[in-house]
Amino acid sequence: MHAFTVRNLLVRGMVAGVLAGLLAFALAYFAGEPSVRDSIAQEETRSAPAHQHGAAADPVPAGEAGEEEELVSRPVQSTFGLATGVLVYGVALGGIASLVFAVSLGRIGRFGPRATSALVAGAAFTTVYLVPFLKYPATPPAVGNPDTIGRRTTLFFLMILLSVLLAVIAVIAGRRLAPRLGNWNASLAAGAGYVAVVAVACLVLPANADAVPTSFPAALLWEFRLASLGVQALLWTAFGLIFGELAERILRPRAVAGAAVVPPGAPVGEPRAAGQ
């Protein structure tokens, strides 16, 4: 594949990432933000008695403020902050996924651009989010000990790294097994191996020690987690469909144009005599 084509795919991957990010932002705002607000309200309700007790035992001297003012207000966080985060995430992963698409096209089977885009998006959603989510599910903000955020983040990204690495190994193993087992059986064997090794990794890796408090409403917790899962699913589904259409237009423009120019009933590919 020419460098010019790869560059065009990269640009269109980032464009598809922006469009998919806009859809994901809409879902995150309308489906995810209510559970985030309720979670913060739950935390504030639990911490209010402790603050009142501390204020009674150690009153704040005159002239000093009670609580620190937030650098960024919640309305800004839930709108511009959320939109910026989702769009940057969409652009970055869209660019990476487009490069993976360029490498995968024609090497993972006889799939066209749209089917390859859908496969890449589905694999990315599964390996980058779904598998790590099963081991370390998302928790609402203001839930858990802030001192453990670094450890939790490290474990989550370690799970992402393992999942992606094992997926790459599974693809390589499937290609090498294909001549002996056939494409279908080789794909099943590679997929089963991936699932088995991921299951072992989930058992070996440490659990999240910072558990959600038992007083936190279970319905609210699952509402947040389902919204988080839905946002990622929408992001990657939209990216796969949008990028597949854009890639199709880049990789097959001449064939479409040629088909439109040939008039109905015109002879195609008539043999010519030597010297004509």
Side-chain angles (χ1 to χ4, degrees), residues 7-270:
R7 185 180 66 183
N8 282 342
L9 288 174
L10 176 62
V11 172
R12 281 156 179 77
M14 296 170 71
V15 171
V18 170
L19 297 177
L22 289 173
L23 294 175
F25 163 70
L27 181 61
Y29 182 77
F30 290 108
E33 271 303 308
S35 59
V36 172
R37 289 194 297 266
D38 293 343
S39 300
I40 294 175
Q42 286 282 335
E43 177 63 21
E44 290 175 348
T45 302
R46 284 198 306 270
S47 61
H51 287 169
Q52 291 173 0
H53 183 270
D58 187 14
V60 179
E64 291 187 12
E67 289 187 0
E68 272 188 28
E69 219 177 290
E70 289 184 344
L71 295 177
V72 181
S73 64
R74 268 300 299 161
V76 174
Q77 292 176 16
S78 62
T79 53
F80 295 106
L82 178 62
T84 301
V86 173
L87 291 178
V88 170
Y89 180 82
V91 169
L93 291 188
I96 295 172
S98 66
L99 296 179
V100 175
F101 169 88
V103 174
S104 303
L105 185 63
R107 292 183 174 89
I108 57 174
R110 297 181 179 180
F111 300 107
R114 293 181 182 177
T116 303
S117 175
L119 288 173
V120 168
F125 168 71
T126 302
T127 57
V128 175
Y129 187 79
L130 182 59
V131 170
F133 177 88
L134 294 176
K135 174 62 178 177
Y136 301 112
T139 54
V143 173
N145 186 359
D147 296 334
T148 63
I149 290 178
R151 181 175 182 273
R152 285 181 283 161
T153 304
T154 301
L155 289 174
F156 186 77
F157 278 101
L158 177 61
M159 192 65 203
I160 292 177
L161 181 62
L162 283 174
S163 177
V164 172
L165 180 62
L166 291 173
V168 172
I169 294 174
V171 171
I172 295 173
R175 289 188 61 190
R176 292 186 177 180
L177 291 173
R180 286 185 293 173
L181 303 179
N183 290 332
W184 178 253
N185 291 330
S187 299
L188 290 179
Y194 170 79
V195 172
V197 179
V198 163
V200 172
C202 289
L203 293 175
V204 171
L205 286 174
N208 183 8
D210 191 10
V212 178
T214 55
S215 59
F216 192 84
L220 181 58
L221 176 63
W222 282 107
E223 180 183 341
F224 174 82
R225 288 179 175 174
L226 288 176
S228 176
L229 189 63
V231 168
Q232 289 289 330
L234 176 61
L235 176 69
W236 284 110
T237 301
F239 172 80
L241 295 175
I242 295 171
F243 179 70
E245 177 65 27
L246 297 177
E248 182 90 11
R249 295 182 182 182
I250 294 176
L251 299 173
R252 294 184 178 174
R254 294 180 181 178
V256 175
V261 169
V262 177
V268 179
E270 288 186 353

